[in-house]
Amino acid sequence: MKKLILMLVCVCSTIVVSAQSKLTWGVEVGAGLSGWMGEYSGDNKPLFNPKVGVTLDIPITGFVSFQTGLNWVSKGASFKMYDAPIPELENVSKVRVNQNYFQMPLLAAVHIGTNAGFDMVITGGPYLACGVCGKSEIEVDDLTVSWDTFKDLYIEDVNLKNGLKRFDAGIQLGFGLDFQQWTVGLDGDFSFCKIASGDAPYNYAFFLTAGYKF
């Protein structure tokens, strides 16, 4: 793992040094829906979540570039708890799980020019993410219990719920319009890592984004 990270740093450093005069920095904000997918995703419902970050576009050829940056991304889902630790709460417990990540995309971007003065951009590649915070809530009638999403839930030294895994990775696909100083697009994230140990689902998310280039 350390060798992989070191290799990625070296590759990015080489690209930055060779193309530093052509770098394009920007900021990006977005909003969309996130949820869980896979065999153990159950009957979850998506949440409306934000995305904000800094972007970097490094030209490689006339129509291909490398895109990366650092984003603050919120994901998660809501569901009914059918395996509640207290039997009386089964089928009446509504759970909402919010997962906040620092996420780094590592994307190849293909720019297709148009006569209208903007490029159509198709992107694809992996992303790496680290969970930093989040809040999970159980609602039963007028009672709400909350805890840190990435930490275990204890009541009187009894472990009722294990925290979610902080590390996440997957593939990001997108399509956008690249104007002289503005960008708009649609991104989709599909995780390859389970959100928790054992039988657990995977994250997915879709975001509409708008960005400004410096």
Side-chain angles (χ1 to χ4, degrees), residues 54-65:
V54 178
T55 62
L56 175 62
D57 186 279
I58 305 171
I60 298 175
T61 69
F63 63 95
V64 176
S65 68

Side-chain angles (χ1 to χ4, degrees), residues 126-186:
Y127 72 82
L128 303 173
C130 178
V132 289
C133 66
K135 184 170 72 172
S136 297
E137 295 181 341
I138 297 178
E139 297 179 7
V140 183
D141 296 329
D142 295 329
L143 175 66
T144 299
V145 178
S146 63
W147 69 97
D148 191 315
T149 296
F150 297 104
K151 294 183 180 180
D152 297 344
L153 172 62
Y154 284 91
I155 296 181
E156 296 184 351
D157 297 327
V158 178
N159 187 347
L160 298 182
K161 195 75 174 176
N162 292 327
L164 301 188
K165 292 181 177 179
R166 292 184 182 273
F167 178 76
D168 188 30
I171 187 170
Q172 179 176 313
L173 303 173
F175 174 80
L177 302 179
D178 188 351
F179 299 88
Q180 185 174 359
Q181 282 195 297
W182 295 91
T183 63
V184 293
L186 173 64

Side-chain angles (χ1 to χ4, degrees), residues 71-106:
N71 298 313
W72 173 275
V73 181
S74 291
K75 298 181 182 181
S78 66
F79 60 96
K80 289 281 189 177
M81 180 176 281
Y82 296 106
D83 57 347
I86 303 174
E88 288 77 13
L89 300 184
E90 290 186 1
N91 302 320
V92 298
S93 305
K94 182 179 180 181
V95 183
R96 178 186 174 96
V97 180
N98 176 249
Q99 305 152 239
N100 296 316
Y101 297 91
F102 277 131
Q103 182 167 306
M104 175 182 289
L106 302 166

Side-chain angles (χ1 to χ4, degrees), residues 110-124:
V110 178
H111 300 253
I112 304 172
T114 69
N115 294 328
F118 62 86
D119 290 350
M120 294 186 294
V121 184
I122 301 172
T123 59

